[in-house]
Amino acid sequence: MDPLNTQHGMPESEAAAEARRLIDAWAARPVRHHPTSFRDETEPPAFGTTPPVKQEDHRIVPAWAAGIAVASIGAGAGITGMGCGVWLVLQGLASVTLNSVLMVTLPFACLAMLATAIGGAISKARAVITTNVFQAPVTHHTEVHNTTSTRGAFFARTRNEIR
């Protein structure tokens, strides 16, 4: 059985006539146009005596919410700037070589060495030989009185008083 050449239903001439009838019936109907826009062709007045109309203020977002939004945008921008700065510093540290470290720290090492030399010279110049001579007998007297008191059961607190 050949499905392409087997006729099902009406013969081909009747099918063509029915298709032509349906197409003609569809084409005979009037086309309905639905306007999608409107244009007012009247000219607006150049000037007039009509006072302005008060427009009511209908805000969608309350003022406090707008303030929070602006603050969060500012905080986000600040954090982004800080992140970029940290990224730049870390990129610089990632490309550190021994020569660059030595060249950067060389001025600080020179300043530290110079300060140490000047401080040592000033210290030696100001050194004075002192001799302490005590003429009276020296005694050392110490008394220890330890008083311990504990208060409380669960959170106990011990207080030691030494006089």
Side-chain angles (χ1 to χ4, degrees):
M1 180 170 188
D2 188 10
L4 296 176
N5 295 325
T6 306
Q7 291 186 1
H8 299 289
M10 65 178 81
E12 190 173 326
S13 62
E14 286 181 28
E18 180 65 19
R20 175 57 46 204
R21 186 190 65 77
L22 289 173
I23 291 171
D24 290 341
W26 175 78
R29 288 188 304 181
V31 178
R32 296 169 52 185
H33 294 285
H34 300 287
T36 57
S37 64
F38 172 75
R39 179 177 292 233
D40 187 7
E41 300 293 335
T42 59
E43 285 289 324
F47 61 92
T49 59
T50 305
V53 178
K54 178 172 174 32
Q55 302 292 321
E56 294 296 324
D57 187 14
H58 295 288
R59 294 181 187 225
I60 297 171
V61 178
W64 61 268
I68 289 175
V70 168
S72 63
I73 289 170
I79 292 297
T80 303
M82 287 175 44
C84 289
V86 168
W87 180 80
L88 286 172
V89 167
L90 293 177
Q91 285 289 32
L93 290 176
S95 64
V96 170
T97 62
L98 179 61
N99 291 337
S100 66
V101 170
L102 291 176
M103 294 311 285
V104 168
T105 58
L106 186 64
F108 298 114
C110 290
L111 286 175
M113 187 176 65
L114 185 64
T116 304
I118 291 172
I122 291 174
S123 168
K124 291 208 180 232
R126 292 181 59 197
V128 178
I129 298 173
T130 60
T131 305
N132 292 328
V133 179
F134 295 102
Q135 299 295 329
V138 176
T139 59
H140 183 74
H141 181 70
T142 304
E143 289 185 26
V144 176
H145 298 283
N146 188 5
T147 306
T148 302
S149 63
T150 303
R151 293 177 38 197
F154 190 64
F155 293 108
R157 194 167 113 190
T158 301
R159 173 170 285 167
N160 293 323
E161 294 180 11
I162 298 175
R163 290 185 252 154

